[in-house]
Amino acid sequence: MPQKLETHTHWEDSDQRLHEEKELPATEAKQGHMGRRVLAVLIIALALTAIVWALAELWSSYEAAHTAPLTAALDQTPAPSPPVQGYSQSY
């Protein structure tokens, strides 16, 4: 059953005109209803975010596993041998 909307008029000093305003019930004043479509979009967006995150984690762990041994092998340089202690011959 539609409700009767109350109408108010008032004089606006800023533009020197008479304005008419209608009072709406709270349910009619809302922009939209929170329905199944909104919920579906939010759930799908959350699921896609989780999938992308999981793929990024897998890719980064794959890259770390394949590049770590290569860089470790390149960084290994032979340690300098310590000087020999003992007699030295000087001529």
Side-chain angles (χ1 to χ4, degrees):
M1 179 169 165
Q3 296 179 352
K4 178 150 173 88
L5 300 178
E6 294 183 27
T7 305
H8 300 284
T9 57
H10 69 280
W11 181 261
E12 190 69 41
D13 289 331
S14 62
D15 61 357
Q16 303 295 320
R17 293 178 60 191
L18 191 63
H19 291 274
E20 183 177 305
E21 293 180 354
K22 295 179 182 178
E23 283 192 22
L24 297 175
T27 55
E28 289 184 29
K30 291 182 182 178
Q31 290 183 355
H33 297 286
M34 183 81 163
R36 292 181 192 246
R37 289 182 184 172
V38 174
L39 183 62
V41 167
L42 291 174
I43 290 173
I44 290 171
L46 185 62
L48 289 175
T49 303
I51 290 170
V52 169
W53 188 318
L55 289 174
E57 289 289 333
L58 288 173
W59 181 75
S60 65
S61 65
Y62 173 80
E63 286 290 317
H66 283 69
T67 58
L70 181 62
T71 56
L74 291 175
D75 289 341
Q76 292 179 354
T77 57
S81 58
V84 178
Q85 299 284 332
Y87 297 106
S88 63
Q89 296 178 353
S90 58
Y91 296 101

